[in-house]
Amino acid sequence: MTAGMGSYDWRFDAGRVCLDLVATGEPAGRGTEPLDGAVPLGRWLVGAGLVPEGTALAGVDARWMRSFAELRDGVGQLVRAEIDGRDASAALARVNELAAGAPPGIRAVRDEDGRLVRALSTEPGCDALLAAVARDAVDLLTDPAARARLRQCEGETCRRVYLDTSRGRRRRWCSSDVCGNRERVARHRRRAALARP
């Protein structure tokens, strides 16, 4: 699933909300913060399923953006440390601190067609939404089966982290359509270059 964001396209295919948040920081060195602004952050929150479409996000401000960027960096440090077998104690402490908060309350309501849909009990606050993402990271990192499926994309210029849910656990790229296709094109070009006289 992707959601257009002007010059950025959010992809929600990493397998977990916390990993989709980490992906908003990739590729590194792009020069601008993709979550900078109430509209981009609001669209990411909707695309990630943290808030239902049409939810009022009147309170989104610079603190929200800084807080989500900080959580993104902390979760990114943690999952990469797990993959590499390193310690990331400071990031773990911050994620645990955020996970201790209460996530947004939810309820079922009827839409215009009479179907039950999810709605939030109150207008979502920054701390509650951060708690939801931080709890997802804690759930991921404390589940041995899920943690064993953490992978970093093997794409040459990609650093995305994802859950490998493929058969045989042989997935190499965050997306076969994006990084996998780039790799196939690069291999083809290398073979074509070698075949030239």
Side-chain angles (χ1 to χ4, degrees):
M1 176 181 163
T2 61
M5 294 296 302
S7 61
Y8 302 113
D9 285 326
W10 302 130
R11 289 179 23 213
F12 299 98
D13 57 1
R16 295 297 283 252
V17 170
C18 63
L19 298 179
D20 288 331
L21 178 62
V22 171
T24 66
E26 303 302 335
R30 138 166 80 195
T32 60
E33 169 57 58
L35 295 177
D36 192 16
V39 172
L41 180 56
R43 286 186 182 156
W44 185 86
L45 291 167
V46 169
L50 292 169
V51 298
E53 185 79 44
T55 301
L57 293 169
V60 178
D61 61 12
R63 182 184 83 81
W64 282 54
M65 292 167 259
R66 282 190 310 272
S67 297
F68 273 91
E70 177 189 1
L71 178 58
R72 176 191 63 212
D73 296 344
V75 172
Q77 289 172 29
L78 274 177
V79 296
R80 288 188 178 94
E82 277 301 310
I83 290 169
D84 298 338
R86 292 180 289 110
D87 182 45
S89 298
L92 179 60
R94 183 60 179 143
V95 169
N96 280 334
E97 181 183 332
L98 292 171
I106 60 169
R107 60 193 176 107
V109 297
R110 300 255 179 222
D111 68 7
E112 306 83 41
D113 298 326
R115 293 181 303 238
L116 286 174
V117 296
R118 185 171 66 97
L120 298 180
S121 300
T122 60
E123 183 176 324
C126 181
D127 293 341
L129 293 170
L130 289 167
V133 178
R135 284 178 179 217
D136 184 57
V138 169
D139 288 343
L140 168 65
L141 294 170
T142 59
D143 177 346
R147 192 175 57 237
R149 295 178 180 173
L150 277 172
R151 304 282 187 274
Q152 185 163 316
C153 182
E154 292 181 23
E156 194 171 309
T157 60
C158 186
R159 296 195 57 230
R160 285 180 185 249
V161 177
Y162 62 92
L163 280 185
D164 181 359
T165 57
S166 68
R167 242 184 193 178
R169 311 289 184 255
R170 292 187 202 128
R171 185 173 155 194
R172 296 179 51 208
W173 304 293
C174 62
S175 167
S176 182
D177 292 339
V178 179
C179 289
N181 191 52
R182 284 184 194 139
E183 179 66 25
R184 288 186 289 274
V185 168
R187 267 194 315 235
H188 172 75
R189 287 183 179 154
R190 285 190 298 268
R191 281 193 307 266
L194 289 172
R196 285 188 207 119

